[in-house]
Coordinates of all heavy atoms in Angstrom, one line a residue:
M1 N 14.7 17.8 -17.3 CA 15.5 18.4 -16.2 C 16.9 18.0 -16.2 O 17.2 16.9 -16.3 CB 14.9 18.3 -14.8 CG 15.5 19.0 -13.8 SD 14.9 18.6 -12.2 CE 16.3 17.8 -11.4
A2 N 17.8 18.9 -16.1 CA 19.3 18.6 -16.0 C 19.5 17.8 -14.8 O 19.0 18.0 -13.7 CB 20.1 19.9 -15.9
K3 N 20.4 16.7 -14.9 CA 20.6 15.8 -13.9 C 22.1 15.9 -13.3 O 22.5 15.2 -12.4 CB 20.4 14.4 -14.3 CG 19.0 14.1 -14.5 CD 18.7 12.6 -14.9 CE 17.2 12.4 -15.1 NZ 16.5 13.2 -15.9
S4 N 22.9 16.8 -13.9 CA 24.2 17.0 -13.4 C 24.7 18.5 -13.6 O 24.1 19.2 -14.4 CB 25.2 16.1 -14.1 OG 25.3 16.5 -15.4
Y5 N 25.8 18.8 -13.0 CA 26.4 20.2 -13.1 C 26.7 20.3 -14.6 O 26.5 21.4 -15.2 CB 27.5 20.3 -12.2 CG 28.2 21.7 -12.3 CD1 27.4 22.8 -11.9 CD2 29.4 21.9 -13.0 CE1 28.0 24.2 -12.0 CE2 29.9 23.2 -13.1 CZ 29.2 24.3 -12.7 OH 29.8 25.5 -12.8
E6 N 27.3 19.3 -15.2 CA 27.8 19.4 -16.5 C 26.6 19.7 -17.5 O 26.7 20.4 -18.5 CB 28.5 18.2 -17.0 CG 29.8 17.9 -16.3 CD 29.8 17.6 -14.8 OE1 28.8 17.1 -14.3 OE2 30.8 18.0 -14.1
E7 N 25.4 19.1 -17.2 CA 24.2 19.3 -18.1 C 23.8 20.8 -17.9 O 23.4 21.4 -18.9 CB 23.1 18.4 -17.7 CG 23.4 16.9 -18.3 CD 22.2 16.0 -17.9 OE1 21.0 16.4 -17.9 OE2 22.6 14.8 -17.7
V8 N 23.8 21.3 -16.6 CA 23.4 22.7 -16.4 C 24.3 23.5 -17.2 O 23.9 24.6 -17.7 CB 23.4 22.9 -14.9 CG1 23.1 24.5 -14.7 CG2 22.3 22.2 -14.2
Q9 N 25.6 23.3 -17.1 CA 26.6 24.0 -17.8 C 26.4 24.1 -19.3 O 26.5 25.1 -19.9 CB 28.0 23.3 -17.5 CG 29.1 24.3 -17.4 CD 30.3 23.8 -16.7 OE1 30.6 22.6 -16.9 NE2 31.1 24.6 -16.1
A10 N 26.1 22.9 -19.8 CA 25.8 22.9 -21.3 C 24.6 23.8 -21.7 O 24.7 24.3 -22.8 CB 25.6 21.4 -21.7
I11 N 23.6 23.8 -20.9 CA 22.5 24.6 -21.2 C 22.7 26.0 -20.9 O 22.3 26.9 -21.7 CB 21.3 24.1 -20.4 CG1 20.9 22.6 -20.7 CG2 20.0 25.0 -20.6 CD1 20.0 21.9 -19.8
T12 N 23.3 26.4 -19.8 CA 23.4 27.8 -19.4 C 24.7 28.5 -19.7 O 24.8 29.7 -19.6 CB 23.1 27.9 -17.9 OG1 24.2 27.2 -17.2 CG2 21.8 27.3 -17.5
K13 N 25.7 27.7 -19.9 CA 27.2 28.1 -20.0 C 27.7 28.6 -18.7 O 28.8 29.2 -18.7 CB 27.3 29.2 -21.1 CG 27.0 28.7 -22.5 CD 27.4 29.7 -23.5 CE 27.2 29.1 -24.9 NZ 27.1 30.1 -25.9
V14 N 27.0 28.4 -17.5 CA 27.5 28.8 -16.3 C 28.9 28.3 -16.0 O 29.1 27.1 -16.3 CB 26.5 28.5 -15.1 CG1 26.4 27.0 -14.9 CG2 27.0 29.2 -13.8
G15 N 29.8 29.1 -15.6 CA 31.2 28.6 -15.2 C 32.1 28.4 -16.4 O 33.2 27.8 -16.2
T16 N 31.7 28.7 -17.6 CA 32.6 28.3 -18.7 C 33.4 29.6 -19.2 O 34.1 29.5 -20.2 CB 31.8 27.8 -19.9 OG1 30.8 28.8 -20.3 CG2 31.0 26.5 -19.6
G17 N 33.3 30.6 -18.4 CA 34.1 31.8 -18.7 C 35.4 31.8 -17.9 O 36.2 30.9 -18.1
C18 N 35.5 32.7 -17.0 CA 36.8 32.8 -16.3 C 36.8 31.5 -15.3 O 37.9 31.2 -14.9 CB 36.8 34.1 -15.4 SG 35.7 34.2 -14.0
G19 N 35.7 31.0 -14.9 CA 35.6 29.8 -14.0 C 35.6 30.1 -12.5 O 35.5 29.2 -11.8
H20 N 35.7 31.4 -12.2 CA 35.6 31.7 -10.7 C 34.4 31.2 -10.0 O 34.4 31.0 -8.7 CB 35.8 33.2 -10.5 CG 37.2 33.7 -10.7 ND1 37.5 34.9 -11.2 CD2 38.4 33.0 -10.6 CE1 38.8 35.1 -11.3 NE2 39.4 33.9 -11.0
C21 N 33.3 31.1 -10.7 CA 32.0 30.7 -10.1 C 31.8 29.2 -10.0 O 30.8 28.8 -9.4 CB 30.8 31.4 -10.7 SG 30.6 30.9 -12.5
V22 N 32.6 28.4 -10.6 CA 32.4 27.0 -10.7 C 32.1 26.3 -9.4 O 31.0 25.7 -9.2 CB 33.5 26.2 -11.4 CG1 33.4 24.7 -11.3 CG2 33.6 26.6 -12.9
E23 N 32.9 26.5 -8.3 CA 32.7 25.8 -7.1 C 31.4 26.2 -6.5 O 30.6 25.3 -6.1 CB 33.8 26.0 -6.1 CG 35.1 25.2 -6.4 CD 34.7 23.7 -6.7 OE1 34.0 23.1 -6.0 OE2 35.1 23.2 -7.8
G24 N 31.0 27.5 -6.4 CA 29.8 27.9 -5.8 C 28.6 27.4 -6.6 O 27.6 26.9 -6.0
T25 N 28.6 27.5 -7.9 CA 27.5 27.0 -8.6 C 27.3 25.5 -8.7 O 26.2 25.0 -8.7 CB 27.5 27.6 -10.1 OG1 28.8 27.3 -10.7 CG2 27.3 29.2 -10.1
K26 N 28.4 24.8 -8.6 CA 28.4 23.4 -8.5 C 27.7 23.0 -7.2 O 26.8 22.1 -7.3 CB 29.8 22.8 -8.5 CG 30.0 21.6 -9.3 CD 31.5 21.1 -9.1 CE 32.0 20.7 -10.6 NZ 33.3 20.2 -10.5
Q27 N 28.0 23.6 -6.2 CA 27.4 23.3 -4.9 C 25.9 23.6 -4.9 O 25.1 22.8 -4.5 CB 28.0 24.2 -3.8 CG 28.1 23.5 -2.4 CD 28.8 24.5 -1.4 OE1 29.7 25.3 -1.9 NE2 28.5 24.4 -0.2
L28 N 25.6 24.7 -5.5 CA 24.1 25.0 -5.7 C 23.4 23.9 -6.5 O 22.3 23.5 -6.1 CB 24.0 26.5 -6.4 CG 22.6 26.9 -6.7 CD1 21.7 27.0 -5.5 CD2 22.6 28.1 -7.5
V29 N 23.9 23.6 -7.6 CA 23.3 22.7 -8.5 C 23.2 21.3 -7.8 O 22.1 20.7 -7.8 CB 24.1 22.5 -9.8 CG1 23.6 21.3 -10.6 CG2 24.0 23.8 -10.7
N30 N 24.2 20.9 -7.1 CA 24.2 19.6 -6.4 C 23.1 19.6 -5.4 O 22.3 18.7 -5.3 CB 25.5 19.3 -5.8 CG 26.5 18.8 -6.9 OD1 26.1 18.4 -7.9 ND2 27.8 18.9 -6.5
E31 N 22.9 20.7 -4.7 CA 21.9 20.8 -3.6 C 20.6 20.9 -4.2 O 19.6 20.1 -3.7 CB 22.2 22.2 -2.9 CG 21.3 22.1 -1.6 CD 21.8 23.2 -0.6 OE1 23.0 23.2 -0.3 OE2 20.9 24.0 -0.2
L32 N 20.4 21.5 -5.4 CA 19.1 21.5 -6.0 C 18.7 20.1 -6.5 O 17.5 19.6 -6.4 CB 19.0 22.5 -7.2 CG 19.1 24.0 -6.7 CD1 19.3 24.9 -7.9 CD2 17.8 24.4 -6.0
I33 N 19.7 19.4 -7.1 CA 19.4 18.0 -7.6 C 19.0 17.1 -6.4 O 18.1 16.3 -6.5 CB 20.7 17.5 -8.4 CG1 20.9 18.3 -9.7 CG2 20.6 16.0 -8.5 CD1 22.1 18.0 -10.4
I34 N 19.8 17.3 -5.3 CA 19.5 16.4 -4.2 C 18.0 16.7 -3.6 O 17.3 15.8 -3.3 CB 20.5 16.6 -3.1 CG1 21.9 15.9 -3.5 CG2 20.1 16.1 -1.7 CD1 23.0 16.2 -2.6
R35 N 17.7 18.0 -3.6 CA 16.4 18.4 -3.0 C 15.3 17.8 -3.9 O 14.3 17.3 -3.5 CB 16.2 19.8 -3.1 CG 16.7 20.5 -1.8 CD 16.2 21.9 -1.6 NE 17.1 22.6 -0.9 CZ 17.3 24.0 -1.1 NH1 16.3 24.7 -1.8 NH2 18.1 24.6 -0.4
K36 N 15.6 17.7 -5.2 CA 14.6 17.3 -6.2 C 14.4 15.7 -6.0 O 13.4 15.2 -6.1 CB 15.1 17.5 -7.6 CG 14.1 17.2 -8.7 CD 13.0 18.2 -8.9 CE 12.1 17.8 -10.1 NZ 10.8 18.2 -9.9
K37 N 15.6 15.1 -5.8 CA 15.5 13.6 -5.5 C 14.7 13.3 -4.3 O 13.9 12.4 -4.3 CB 17.0 13.1 -5.2 CG 17.7 12.8 -6.5 CD 19.0 12.1 -6.1 CE 19.9 11.8 -7.3 NZ 21.1 11.2 -7.0
I38 N 14.9 14.2 -3.2 CA 14.1 13.9 -2.0 C 12.6 14.1 -2.3 O 11.8 13.4 -1.9 CB 14.6 14.9 -0.9 CG1 16.0 14.5 -0.6 CG2 13.7 14.7 0.4 CD1 16.8 15.5 0.4
D39 N 12.4 15.2 -3.1 CA 10.9 15.6 -3.3 C 10.3 14.4 -4.1 O 9.2 14.0 -3.9 CB 10.9 16.8 -4.2 CG 11.2 18.0 -3.4 OD1 11.1 18.0 -2.2 OD2 11.3 19.1 -4.1
E40 N 11.0 13.8 -5.1 CA 10.4 12.8 -5.9 C 10.5 11.4 -5.3 O 9.9 10.5 -5.8 CB 11.2 12.8 -7.3 CG 10.8 14.0 -8.1 CD 11.5 14.0 -9.5 OE1 12.3 13.1 -9.6 OE2 11.4 15.0 -10.1
N41 N 11.2 11.3 -4.2 CA 11.4 10.0 -3.5 C 11.9 8.9 -4.5 O 11.3 7.8 -4.6 CB 10.0 9.6 -2.9 CG 10.3 8.9 -1.6 OD1 11.4 8.9 -1.1 ND2 9.2 8.3 -1.0
Q42 N 12.9 9.3 -5.3 CA 13.4 8.4 -6.3 C 14.2 7.3 -5.7 O 14.7 7.4 -4.6 CB 14.4 9.2 -7.2 CG 13.6 10.1 -8.1 CD 14.7 10.8 -9.0 OE1 15.9 10.7 -8.8 NE2 14.2 11.5 -10.0
I43 N 14.3 6.2 -6.4 CA 15.3 5.1 -6.1 C 16.6 5.7 -6.1 O 17.1 6.1 -7.2 CB 15.1 3.9 -7.0 CG1 13.7 3.4 -7.0 CG2 16.2 2.9 -6.7 CD1 13.4 2.3 -6.0
V44 N 17.4 5.6 -5.0 CA 18.8 6.2 -5.1 C 19.8 5.0 -5.0 O 21.0 5.2 -5.2 CB 19.0 7.1 -3.9 CG1 18.2 8.4 -4.1 CG2 18.8 6.5 -2.5
C45 N 19.4 3.8 -4.9 CA 20.2 2.7 -4.9 C 19.4 1.5 -5.6 O 18.5 0.9 -4.9 CB 20.7 2.2 -3.5 SG 21.7 0.6 -3.5
G46 N 19.8 1.3 -6.8 CA 19.0 0.3 -7.6 C 19.2 -1.1 -7.1 O 18.3 -1.9 -7.3
C47 N 20.4 -1.4 -6.6 CA 20.6 -2.8 -6.1 C 19.7 -3.2 -5.1 O 19.3 -4.4 -5.1 CB 22.1 -2.9 -5.6 SG 23.4 -2.9 -6.9
F48 N 19.3 -2.4 -4.1 CA 18.4 -2.7 -3.1 C 17.0 -2.0 -3.1 O 16.3 -2.0 -2.2 CB 19.1 -2.5 -1.8 CG 20.4 -3.3 -1.6 CD1 21.6 -2.8 -1.8 CD2 20.3 -4.7 -1.4 CE1 22.8 -3.5 -1.6 CE2 21.5 -5.4 -1.3 CZ 22.7 -4.8 -1.4
K49 N 16.8 -1.3 -4.3 CA 15.5 -0.4 -4.4 C 15.4 0.4 -3.2 O 14.2 0.6 -2.6 CB 14.3 -1.4 -4.5 CG 14.4 -2.4 -5.6 CD 14.3 -1.8 -7.0 CE 14.4 -2.8 -8.1 NZ 15.8 -2.9 -8.7
I50 N 16.5 1.1 -2.8 CA 16.3 2.0 -1.7 C 16.0 3.5 -2.2 O 16.5 3.9 -3.2 CB 17.7 2.1 -0.9 CG1 18.0 0.7 -0.3 CG2 17.7 3.2 0.1 CD1 19.4 0.5 0.1
T51 N 15.0 4.1 -1.6 CA 14.6 5.4 -2.1 C 15.2 6.5 -1.2 O 15.7 6.2 -0.1 CB 13.0 5.6 -1.9 OG1 12.7 5.5 -0.4 CG2 12.2 4.5 -2.6
A52 N 15.2 7.7 -1.7 CA 15.7 8.8 -1.0 C 15.0 8.9 0.4 O 15.5 9.2 1.4 CB 15.6 10.1 -1.7
G53 N 13.7 8.6 0.4 CA 12.9 8.6 1.6 C 13.5 7.6 2.6 O 13.4 7.9 3.8
D54 N 14.0 6.5 2.2 CA 14.6 5.5 3.2 C 15.9 6.2 3.8 O 16.1 5.9 5.0 CB 15.0 4.2 2.4 CG 13.9 3.5 1.9 OD1 12.8 3.5 2.5 OD2 14.0 2.8 0.8
I55 N 16.6 6.9 3.0 CA 17.8 7.6 3.5 C 17.4 8.6 4.5 O 18.0 8.7 5.7 CB 18.6 8.1 2.3 CG1 19.0 7.2 1.2 CG2 19.9 8.9 2.9 CD1 19.9 6.1 1.6
V56 N 16.4 9.4 4.1 CA 15.9 10.5 5.1 C 15.5 9.8 6.4 O 15.8 10.3 7.5 CB 14.8 11.2 4.4 CG1 14.1 12.2 5.4 CG2 15.2 12.1 3.1
T57 N 14.8 8.8 6.3 CA 14.2 8.1 7.5 C 15.4 7.6 8.4 O 15.4 7.7 9.6 CB 13.3 6.9 7.1 OG1 12.3 7.4 6.3 CG2 12.7 6.2 8.3
A58 N 16.4 7.0 7.7 CA 17.6 6.5 8.5 C 18.3 7.7 9.3 O 18.6 7.5 10.5 CB 18.6 5.8 7.6
V59 N 18.5 8.8 8.7 CA 19.0 10.0 9.3 C 18.1 10.5 10.3 O 18.6 10.8 11.5 CB 19.3 11.1 8.2 CG1 19.8 12.4 8.9 CG2 20.4 10.6 7.3
K60 N 16.8 10.5 10.1 CA 15.9 11.0 11.1 C 15.9 10.1 12.4 O 15.6 10.5 13.6 CB 14.4 11.0 10.6 CG 14.1 12.3 9.8 CD 12.6 12.4 9.6 CE 12.4 13.7 8.6 NZ 11.2 13.5 7.9
N61 N 16.1 8.8 12.1 CA 16.1 7.8 13.2 C 17.5 7.8 13.9 O 17.7 6.9 14.8 CB 15.9 6.5 12.6 CG 14.4 6.3 12.3 OD1 13.6 7.1 12.8 ND2 14.0 5.3 11.5
G62 N 18.4 8.7 13.6 CA 19.6 8.9 14.3 C 20.9 8.5 13.7 O 22.0 8.7 14.3
A63 N 21.0 8.0 12.4 CA 22.2 7.7 11.7 C 23.0 9.0 11.7 O 22.5 10.1 11.3 CB 22.0 7.1 10.4
K64 N 24.3 9.0 12.0 CA 25.1 10.2 12.1 C 26.2 10.2 11.0 O 27.0 11.1 10.9 CB 25.8 10.3 13.4 CG 24.8 10.5 14.6 CD 24.6 11.9 14.9 CE 23.6 12.2 16.0 NZ 22.2 12.0 15.7
S65 N 26.2 9.2 10.1 CA 27.2 9.1 9.1 C 26.7 8.3 7.9 O 25.8 7.5 8.1 CB 28.6 8.6 9.6 OG 28.3 7.2 9.9
F66 N 27.5 8.3 6.8 CA 27.1 7.5 5.7 C 27.1 6.0 6.0 O 26.2 5.2 5.8 CB 27.9 7.8 4.5 CG 27.6 6.8 3.3 CD1 26.5 7.1 2.6 CD2 28.5 5.8 2.9 CE1 26.2 6.1 1.6 CE2 28.2 5.0 1.9 CZ 27.1 5.1 1.2
E67 N 28.2 5.7 6.9 CA 28.4 4.3 7.2 C 27.2 3.8 8.2 O 26.8 2.7 8.0 CB 29.7 4.2 8.0 CG 31.0 4.3 7.1 CD 31.2 5.7 6.6 OE1 30.7 6.7 7.2 OE2 31.9 5.8 5.5
E68 N 26.7 4.7 8.9 CA 25.6 4.3 9.9 C 24.4 4.2 9.0 O 23.5 3.2 9.3 CB 25.4 5.3 11.0 CG 26.4 5.3 12.0 CD 26.3 6.2 13.1 OE1 25.0 6.5 13.5 OE2 27.2 6.6 13.8
V69 N 24.1 5.0 8.0 CA 23.0 4.9 7.1 C 23.1 3.5 6.4 O 22.2 2.8 6.2 CB 22.9 6.1 6.1 CG1 21.8 5.8 5.0 CG2 22.6 7.3 6.9
Q70 N 24.3 3.2 5.9 CA 24.6 2.0 5.2 C 24.3 0.8 6.0 O 23.7 -0.2 5.5 CB 26.1 2.0 4.8 CG 26.4 1.2 3.5 CD 27.8 1.5 3.1 OE1 28.7 1.7 3.8 NE2 28.0 1.4 1.7
A71 N 24.6 0.9 7.3 CA 24.4 -0.3 8.2 C 22.9 -0.7 8.3 O 22.5 -1.7 8.4 CB 25.1 0.0 9.6
V72 N 22.1 0.4 8.3 CA 20.7 0.3 8.5 C 20.0 -0.1 7.2 O 19.1 -0.9 7.1 CB 20.1 1.6 9.0 CG1 18.5 1.5 9.2 CG2 20.7 2.0 10.2
T73 N 20.5 0.6 6.0 CA 19.7 0.4 4.8 C 20.3 -0.6 3.8 O 19.7 -0.9 2.8 CB 19.5 1.8 4.1 OG1 20.9 2.3 3.8 CG2 18.8 2.8 5.0
K74 N 21.6 -0.8 3.9 CA 22.4 -1.5 3.0 C 22.8 -0.7 1.7 O 23.3 -1.2 0.7 CB 21.8 -2.8 2.4 CG 21.6 -3.9 3.5 CD 21.1 -5.1 2.8 CE 21.1 -6.3 3.8 NZ 20.4 -7.4 3.2
V75 N 22.5 0.6 1.7 CA 22.7 1.4 0.5 C 24.2 1.4 0.1 O 25.1 1.4 1.0 CB 22.3 2.9 0.8 CG1 23.1 3.6 1.9 CG2 22.3 3.7 -0.5
G76 N 24.5 1.2 -1.2 CA 25.8 1.1 -1.6 C 26.6 -0.1 -1.4 O 27.8 -0.1 -1.7
T77 N 26.0 -1.2 -0.8 CA 26.8 -2.3 -0.6 C 26.6 -3.4 -1.6 O 27.2 -4.6 -1.5 CB 26.3 -3.0 0.9 OG1 25.0 -3.3 0.8 CG2 26.6 -2.0 1.9
G78 N 26.0 -3.0 -2.7 CA 25.9 -3.9 -3.8 C 26.9 -3.6 -4.9 O 28.2 -3.8 -4.6
C79 N 26.6 -3.0 -6.0 CA 27.6 -2.8 -7.1 C 28.5 -1.6 -6.7 O 29.6 -1.5 -7.2 CB 26.8 -2.4 -8.4 SG 26.0 -0.8 -8.4
G80 N 28.0 -0.8 -5.7 CA 28.8 0.3 -5.3 C 28.8 1.6 -6.1 O 29.3 2.7 -5.8
H81 N 28.0 1.6 -7.2 CA 28.0 2.7 -8.1 C 27.2 4.0 -7.5 O 27.5 5.1 -7.9 CB 27.3 2.4 -9.4 CG 28.1 1.5 -10.3 ND1 27.5 0.7 -11.2 CD2 29.4 1.3 -10.4 CE1 28.5 -0.1 -11.9 NE2 29.6 0.4 -11.3
C82 N 26.4 3.7 -6.5 CA 25.6 4.8 -5.9 C 26.3 5.4 -4.7 O 25.8 6.4 -4.2 CB 24.2 4.3 -5.6 SG 24.3 3.1 -4.2
V83 N 27.5 4.9 -4.3 CA 28.1 5.3 -3.1 C 28.3 6.8 -3.1 O 28.0 7.6 -2.1 CB 29.4 4.6 -2.8 CG1 30.2 5.2 -1.6 CG2 29.1 3.1 -2.4
E84 N 28.9 7.4 -4.1 CA 29.3 8.8 -4.0 C 28.0 9.7 -3.9 O 28.0 10.6 -3.1 CB 30.3 9.2 -5.2 CG 31.6 8.6 -5.1 CD 32.2 8.9 -3.8 OE1 32.2 10.1 -3.3 OE2 32.8 8.0 -3.1
G85 N 27.1 9.4 -4.7 CA 25.9 10.2 -4.7 C 25.1 10.1 -3.5 O 24.7 11.2 -2.9
N86 N 25.1 9.0 -2.9 CA 24.5 8.9 -1.6 C 25.2 9.4 -0.4 O 24.6 9.8 0.6 CB 24.0 7.4 -1.3 CG 22.8 7.0 -2.2 OD1 21.9 7.8 -2.2 ND2 22.9 6.0 -2.9
K87 N 26.6 9.4 -0.5 CA 27.3 10.1 0.5 C 27.0 11.6 0.5 O 26.8 12.2 1.5 CB 28.9 9.9 0.2 CG 29.4 8.7 0.9 CD 31.0 8.8 0.8 CE 31.5 7.5 1.3 NZ 33.0 7.2 1.0
A88 N 26.9 12.2 -0.7 CA 26.5 13.6 -0.8 C 25.2 13.9 -0.3 O 24.9 14.8 0.5 CB 26.6 14.0 -2.2
L89 N 24.2 12.9 -0.5 CA 22.9 13.0 0.0 C 22.9 13.0 1.6 O 22.3 13.8 2.2 CB 22.0 11.9 -0.5 CG 20.5 11.8 0.0 CD1 19.7 13.1 -0.3 CD2 19.8 10.7 -0.7
V90 N 23.6 12.0 2.1 CA 23.7 11.9 3.6 C 24.3 13.2 4.2 O 23.8 13.7 5.2 CB 24.4 10.6 4.0 CG1 24.7 10.6 5.5 CG2 23.6 9.4 3.7
D91 N 25.4 13.6 3.6 CA 26.1 14.8 4.1 C 25.1 16.0 4.1 O 25.0 16.7 5.2 CB 27.3 15.2 3.2 CG 28.5 14.4 3.5 OD1 28.5 13.6 4.4 OD2 29.5 14.5 2.7
Y92 N 24.4 16.1 3.0 CA 23.4 17.1 2.9 C 22.4 17.1 4.0 O 22.0 18.1 4.7 CB 22.7 17.1 1.6 CG 21.5 18.1 1.4 CD1 21.7 19.5 1.2 CD2 20.3 17.6 1.5 CE1 20.7 20.3 1.2 CE2 19.2 18.4 1.4 CZ 19.4 19.8 1.2 OH 18.3 20.6 1.1
L93 N 21.8 15.9 4.3 CA 20.8 15.7 5.3 C 21.4 16.0 6.7 O 20.7 16.5 7.5 CB 20.2 14.4 5.2 CG 19.5 14.0 3.9 CD1 19.2 12.5 3.8 CD2 18.2 14.8 3.9
L94 N 22.6 15.5 6.9 CA 23.2 15.8 8.2 C 23.5 17.2 8.5 O 23.4 17.7 9.7 CB 24.5 15.0 8.4 CG 24.3 13.4 8.5 CD1 25.7 12.8 8.4 CD2 23.6 13.0 9.6
K95 N 23.7 18.0 7.5 CA 23.9 19.4 7.6 C 22.7 20.2 7.9 O 22.7 21.4 8.3 CB 24.7 20.0 6.5 CG 26.2 19.7 6.5 CD 26.9 20.4 5.3 CE 28.1 19.6 4.9 NZ 28.3 19.7 3.5
K96 N 21.6 19.7 7.5 CA 20.3 20.4 7.6 C 19.9 20.7 9.1 O 20.1 20.0 9.9 CB 19.2 19.7 7.0 CG 19.1 19.9 5.5 CD 18.1 19.2 4.7 CE 16.7 19.1 5.4 NZ 15.6 18.6 4.4
Ligands
LIG101 S1 23.1 0.9 -6.9 FE1 23.6 1.0 -4.9 S2 24.9 -0.6 -4.5 FE2 24.4 -0.9 -6.6

């Protein structure tokens, strides 16, 4: 399974013509990737072995921002490599 917009682009060529659809399809692909992560309950922060389920639980328990999720779970406070991806995940969950 493709794990990024660029991989989807390489397979389907979406957005490689005029480019007008890039933003919309990027959003769609990111949402599908995030949903899949939630379904699979994958580790989303290797430093602390935090799963997507832990992030979902933090939001369900009332966290209203990435910083609040971080305070509860420690997500992204190690190497920091997962911060951007998990910010997108938290944003997605807060909009639901
Ligand atoms: S992988 Fe999340 S802080 Fe390192």
Side-chain angles (χ1 to χ4, degrees):
M1 189 188 110
K3 291 185 177 50
S4 68
Y5 181 69
E6 290 68 26
E7 283 181 36
V8 171
Q9 213 167 30
I11 297 164
T12 64
K13 294 195 174 158
V14 66
T16 59
C18 73
H20 284 151
C21 63
V22 169
E23 281 316 306
T25 51
K26 219 180 225 184
Q27 210 175 334
L28 172 63
V29 169
N30 286 339
E31 192 164 308
L32 292 172
I33 289 170
I34 286 169
R35 272 196 215 159
K36 183 82 176 147
K37 275 188 185 174
I38 294 170
D39 287 348
E40 289 180 359
N41 218 12
Q42 284 180 355
I43 300 273
V44 293
C45 175
C47 287
F48 299 103
K49 306 283 178 269
I50 295 165
T51 64
D54 295 326
I55 307 291
V56 171
T57 301
V59 171
K60 275 190 186 154
N61 287 342
K64 297 267 180 284
S65 65
F66 176 71
E67 289 69 24
E68 286 183 30
V69 171
Q70 205 169 34
V72 180
T73 63
K74 290 189 180 172
V75 67
T77 58
C79 71
H81 288 153
C82 66
V83 168
E84 286 312 310
N86 284 311
K87 267 187 185 168
L89 175 58
V90 171
D91 280 353
Y92 171 76
L93 292 170
L94 290 173
K95 280 186 209 145
K96 273 181 39 170

